[in-house]
Amino acid sequence: MNIAFVLINTDMGSEAEVSKALREIEEVKDVYGVYGVYDLVVRLEAESMQQLKDAIGNKIRRLKNVRSTLTMIVIE
Amino acid sequence: MNIAFVLINTDMGSEAEVSKALREIEEVKDVYGVYGVYDLVVRLEAESMQQLKDAIGNKIRRLKNVRSTLTMIVIE
Amino acid sequence: MNIAFVLINTDMGSEAEVSKALREIEEVKDVYGVYGVYDLVVRLEAESMQQLKDAIGNKIRRLKNVRSTLTMIVIE
Amino acid sequence: MNIAFVLINTDMGSEAEVSKALREIEEVKDVYGVYGVYDLVVRLEAESMQQLKDAIGNKIRRLKNVRSTLTMIVIE
Amino acid sequence: MNIAFVLINTDMGSEAEVSKALREIEEVKDVYGVYGVYDLVVRLEAESMQQLKDAIGNKIRRLKNVRSTLTMIVIE
Amino acid sequence: MNIAFVLINTDMGSEAEVSKALREIEEVKDVYGVYGVYDLVVRLEAESMQQLKDAIGNKIRRLKNVRSTLTMIVIE
Amino acid sequence: MNIAFVLINTDMGSEAEVSKALREIEEVKDVYGVYGVYDLVVRLEAESMQQLKDAIGNKIRRLKNVRSTLTMIVIE
Amino acid sequence: MNIAFVLINTDMGSEAEVSKALREIEEVKDVYGVYGVYDLVVRLEAESMQQLKDAIGNKIRRLKNVRSTLTMIVIE
């Protein structure tokens, strides 16, 4: 299993909307709103690195109101 | 009492306007303009974590010209 | 349930040792080694904010070879 | 009155000790332990910029177990 | 004399335009384009902290295409 | 030969488009999409520092959808 | 081929020594000294993610005088 | 003329000592103590990039109590 964490900053005031959209992505397993530098912590799982890449690059990063992302690939 | 500090970056030139709007929020106890990486230091107090969360997420972060926030929850 | 994520930088070369020590802490539910700015992603759960505070301040931050921590409290 | 905030990172596990030492400094008015990137938020007041400079440079930054500081001078 | 450095990030491609506008500000003594995290290094001098504050807050930060600023007040 | 690395953050979802545009710049020798804080790693080579400066300031930084750049000049 | 970039900060004054040690690691293909936030840019290639992980975690990060690393895995 | 700025963090409490040592370096033209993220701002001038490189890598970065440096090469 390929796992990644994505730390997300959203546009101000759109955390709930982005969380909802994230939860509809198949590879997204957990979404947490957090206090601090980042707004959301997202955990993803995928069958392959290719699928993980696709979920981050083509799904998460293209969501409306996602301002920036910091991706951390989990070391197997 | 639940306390938090929020460090705010505003849109350029709108520090005074944002400070004024912040001071009208019930949970906001102090607002300071500062030199450095951040533009404003805000101290909040609330009866519950729920109220604190609401003040930060639904009031401060939805203010016009607030560009980004860094929240630090005070350890009781 | 009170949840927090702690992003950890360890001393160079001691990731495995720190991971092992983290897993022995009751409140620590998950430990992931990751590529990027941080070395470890840790998820904690506790019955109370007090217990969470204690786990982070008195257990995790006092572990040998933990160089720095960034704590993100999950918004309930 | 000259005011400043100092955000402090302490050596792991020495937050309580540093907090105690900070509270004994005349110019230090408030010390808060916080979750996030920084460990302590300190508010100082002094009669002059010279006194503020002295409190930060010669007192706070020379305390044992203070690892790094980020000073924000309040704009009068 | 009150001195400050302001590190500026400009909108992409507008470094020259911003540099030109900065040089027309009375308190601005030097402007350097630099490689790295920041785009411009600006040195200011003013008779008083009040004048310095005014130059940074009301002149520099209100310039078109100035995206963000990091101000460092020189310790006398 | 003068060499530089430029770490680029693009607008969300436009990595492929920016990569393509970068590859058409003469001085750009390599473009890599990466996971983490930055989106693209670009390596440039030029005959002179002047040419390198021109490629970064007038070509890369003026590309559409390039949000921010961090330039690292290679020490000869 | 699995590729990664590692940005390294070394202990002050030991850049040359660390560069030399890096060049003796099989997976390390390029080492550049750079001006800026980071001291060295390293490019690695490996047959598998496992080999890449091993080179970063067990070789680079265990080198003497390597103070911190930021790893960016190249998206295939 | 080749110019660079170096932003320095010193060991806590050794700012004065480092400033003094910096001022004895031929290429160092100005040293300022500052409030904020960095402790000292240093401006260097040299006849060649090679001399600049030497001043930063072999003189400044080897000074006792210099903890970290961020170098910004001025664009001619």
Side-chain angles (χ1 to χ4, degrees):
Chain A
M1 191 60 71
N2 296 275
I3 305 176
F5 281 90
V6 182
L7 306 179
I8 294 180
N9 282 302
T10 69
D11 288 328
M12 297 285 108
S14 61
E15 300 82 0
E17 186 186 337
V18 173
S19 290
K20 193 157 163 286
L22 285 164
R23 288 198 175 88
E24 286 166 16
I25 296 172
E26 183 196 340
E27 292 84 0
V28 169
K29 300 305 171 191
D30 296 301
V31 181
Y32 298 90
V34 289
Y35 293 113
V37 189
Y38 308 105
D39 301 324
L40 300 173
V41 174
V42 180
R43 192 173 64 85
L44 296 101
E45 288 182 9
E47 294 295 321
S48 65
M49 277 301 285
Q50 182 59 41
Q51 190 188 347
L52 202 61
K53 168 198 164 182
D54 188 58
I56 296 167
N58 294 331
K59 296 179 185 175
I60 291 182
R61 283 174 62 92
R62 287 174 191 273
L63 284 183
K64 210 180 136 200
N65 296 318
V66 168
R67 190 186 283 184
S68 67
T69 63
L70 189 165
T71 299
M72 301 180 288
I73 303 291
V74 169
I75 304 171
E76 291 152 73
Chain B
M1 191 61 69
N2 296 274
I3 306 176
F5 281 90
V6 183
L7 306 180
I8 294 180
N9 282 301
T10 69
D11 288 328
M12 297 286 106
S14 61
E15 300 82 1
E17 186 186 338
V18 173
S19 290
K20 192 157 164 285
L22 285 165
R23 288 199 175 89
E24 287 166 16
I25 296 173
E26 183 197 340
E27 292 84 0
V28 169
K29 300 305 170 191
D30 296 301
V31 181
Y32 298 89
V34 290
Y35 293 112
V37 189
Y38 307 106
D39 300 323
L40 300 173
V41 173
V42 180
R43 192 174 64 85
L44 296 100
E45 287 182 8
E47 294 296 321
S48 64
M49 277 301 284
Q50 182 59 40
Q51 190 188 346
L52 202 60
K53 168 198 164 182
D54 188 57
I56 297 167
N58 294 330
K59 295 179 185 175
I60 292 181
R61 283 174 61 93
R62 286 174 191 274
L63 284 183
K64 212 180 134 201
N65 296 318
V66 168
R67 190 187 283 183
S68 68
T69 63
L70 189 165
T71 299
M72 302 180 287
I73 302 291
V74 170
I75 304 172
E76 289 152 73
Chain C
M1 190 62 69
N2 297 275
I3 306 176
F5 281 90
V6 182
L7 306 179
I8 294 180
N9 282 301
T10 69
D11 288 328
M12 297 285 107
S14 62
E15 300 82 359
E17 186 187 337
V18 174
S19 290
K20 191 156 164 286
L22 285 164
R23 288 198 174 89
E24 286 166 17
I25 295 173
E26 183 196 339
E27 293 84 1
V28 170
K29 300 305 171 192
D30 296 302
V31 181
Y32 298 90
V34 289
Y35 292 112
V37 189
Y38 307 105
D39 300 324
L40 300 173
V41 174
V42 180
R43 193 174 64 85
L44 295 102
E45 288 181 8
E47 294 296 320
S48 65
M49 278 300 286
Q50 183 58 41
Q51 191 189 347
L52 202 61
K53 168 197 164 183
D54 188 58
I56 297 167
N58 293 330
K59 295 179 185 174
I60 292 182
R61 284 174 61 91
R62 286 174 191 274
L63 284 183
K64 211 180 137 201
N65 296 319
V66 168
R67 190 188 283 184
S68 68
T69 63
L70 189 164
T71 299
M72 301 180 288
I73 303 291
V74 170
I75 303 172
E76 290 154 72
Chain D
M1 191 61 70
N2 297 274
I3 306 176
F5 281 90
V6 182
L7 306 180
I8 294 180
N9 282 301
T10 68
D11 288 327
M12 297 285 106
S14 62
E15 301 82 359
E17 185 186 338
V18 173
S19 290
K20 192 157 164 285
L22 284 165
R23 288 199 175 88
E24 286 166 15
I25 296 172
E26 183 196 341
E27 293 84 0
V28 170
K29 300 305 170 189
D30 297 301
V31 181
Y32 298 89
V34 290
Y35 293 114
V37 189
Y38 308 105
D39 300 324
L40 300 173
V41 174
V42 180
R43 193 173 64 84
L44 295 101
E45 287 182 8
E47 295 296 320
S48 65
M49 277 300 285
Q50 183 59 40
Q51 191 188 347
L52 202 60
K53 168 198 163 182
D54 188 58
I56 297 166
N58 293 330
K59 296 179 185 174
I60 292 182
R61 284 174 61 92
R62 286 174 191 274
L63 284 183
K64 212 180 136 201
N65 295 318
V66 168
R67 190 188 284 184
S68 68
T69 63
L70 189 165
T71 299
M72 301 181 288
I73 302 291
V74 170
I75 303 171
E76 290 152 74
Chain E
M1 191 60 70
N2 296 275
I3 306 176
F5 281 91
V6 182
L7 307 180
I8 294 181
N9 282 300
T10 68
D11 288 327
M12 297 286 107
S14 61
E15 300 82 0
E17 186 186 337
V18 173
S19 290
K20 192 156 164 286
L22 285 164
R23 287 198 175 90
E24 286 166 16
I25 295 172
E26 183 196 340
E27 292 85 359
V28 169
K29 300 305 170 190
D30 296 301
V31 181
Y32 298 89
V34 289
Y35 293 113
V37 189
Y38 307 106
D39 300 324
L40 300 173
V41 173
V42 180
R43 191 173 64 85
L44 296 101
E45 288 182 7
E47 295 295 321
S48 65
M49 277 301 285
Q50 182 59 41
Q51 190 189 348
L52 202 60
K53 168 198 164 183
D54 188 58
I56 297 167
N58 293 330
K59 296 180 185 174
I60 292 182
R61 284 174 61 92
R62 287 173 191 274
L63 284 183
K64 212 179 136 202
N65 296 319
V66 168
R67 190 188 282 183
S68 68
T69 62
L70 190 165
T71 299
M72 301 180 288
I73 303 291
V74 170
I75 304 172
E76 290 152 74
Chain F
M1 191 61 69
N2 297 275
I3 306 176
F5 281 90
V6 182
L7 306 179
I8 294 181
N9 282 301
T10 68
D11 289 328
M12 297 285 107
S14 62
E15 299 83 359
E17 186 186 337
V18 173
S19 290
K20 193 157 163 287
L22 285 165
R23 288 199 174 89
E24 286 166 15
I25 296 173
E26 183 196 340
E27 292 84 359
V28 170
K29 301 304 170 191
D30 297 301
V31 181
Y32 298 89
V34 289
Y35 293 113
V37 189
Y38 308 105
D39 300 324
L40 300 173
V41 173
V42 180
R43 192 173 64 86
L44 296 100
E45 287 182 8
E47 294 296 320
S48 65
M49 276 301 285
Q50 182 59 39
Q51 190 188 348
L52 202 60
K53 168 197 164 184
D54 188 58
I56 296 167
N58 293 331
K59 295 179 185 174
I60 292 183
R61 283 175 62 92
R62 286 173 192 274
L63 285 183
K64 210 179 138 202
N65 296 318
V66 168
R67 190 188 283 183
S68 68
T69 62
L70 190 165
T71 299
M72 300 180 289
I73 303 292
V74 170
I75 305 171
E76 288 152 74
Chain G
M1 190 61 70
N2 297 274
I3 305 176
F5 281 91
V6 182
L7 306 180
I8 294 180
N9 282 301
T10 68
D11 288 328
M12 296 285 107
S14 62
E15 300 82 1
E17 186 186 339
V18 174
S19 290
K20 192 155 164 287
L22 285 164
R23 288 199 175 88
E24 286 166 16
I25 296 173
E26 183 196 340
E27 293 84 0
V28 170
K29 300 305 170 190
D30 297 301
V31 181
Y32 298 90
V34 289
Y35 293 113
V37 189
Y38 308 105
D39 301 324
L40 300 173
V41 174
V42 180
R43 192 173 64 84
L44 296 100
E45 287 182 8
E47 295 296 321
S48 65
M49 277 301 285
Q50 182 59 41
Q51 190 189 347
L52 202 59
K53 168 197 164 182
D54 188 57
I56 297 167
N58 293 330
K59 295 179 185 173
I60 292 182
R61 284 174 60 92
R62 286 174 192 274
L63 284 184
K64 212 180 135 201
N65 295 319
V66 168
R67 190 187 283 183
S68 67
T69 63
L70 189 165
T71 299
M72 301 180 289
I73 302 291
V74 170
I75 303 172
E76 290 153 73
Chain H
M1 191 61 69
N2 297 275
I3 306 176
F5 281 90
V6 183
L7 306 179
I8 294 180
N9 282 300
T10 68
D11 288 328
M12 297 285 108
S14 62
E15 300 82 0
E17 186 186 337
V18 173
S19 290
K20 192 156 165 286
L22 284 164
R23 287 197 176 90
E24 286 166 17
I25 296 173
E26 184 196 339
E27 292 85 0
V28 170
K29 300 304 171 190
D30 296 301
V31 181
Y32 298 90
V34 289
Y35 293 113
V37 188
Y38 308 105
D39 301 324
L40 300 173
V41 174
V42 180
R43 193 173 64 84
L44 295 101
E45 287 182 7
E47 294 296 320
S48 65
M49 277 301 285
Q50 182 59 40
Q51 191 188 346
L52 203 60
K53 168 197 165 184
D54 188 58
I56 297 167
N58 294 330
K59 295 179 185 174
I60 291 182
R61 284 174 60 92
R62 286 174 191 273
L63 284 183
K64 211 180 136 201
N65 296 319
V66 168
R67 189 187 284 184
S68 68
T69 63
L70 189 164
T71 298
M72 301 180 288
I73 302 292
V74 170
I75 304 172
E76 289 152 73

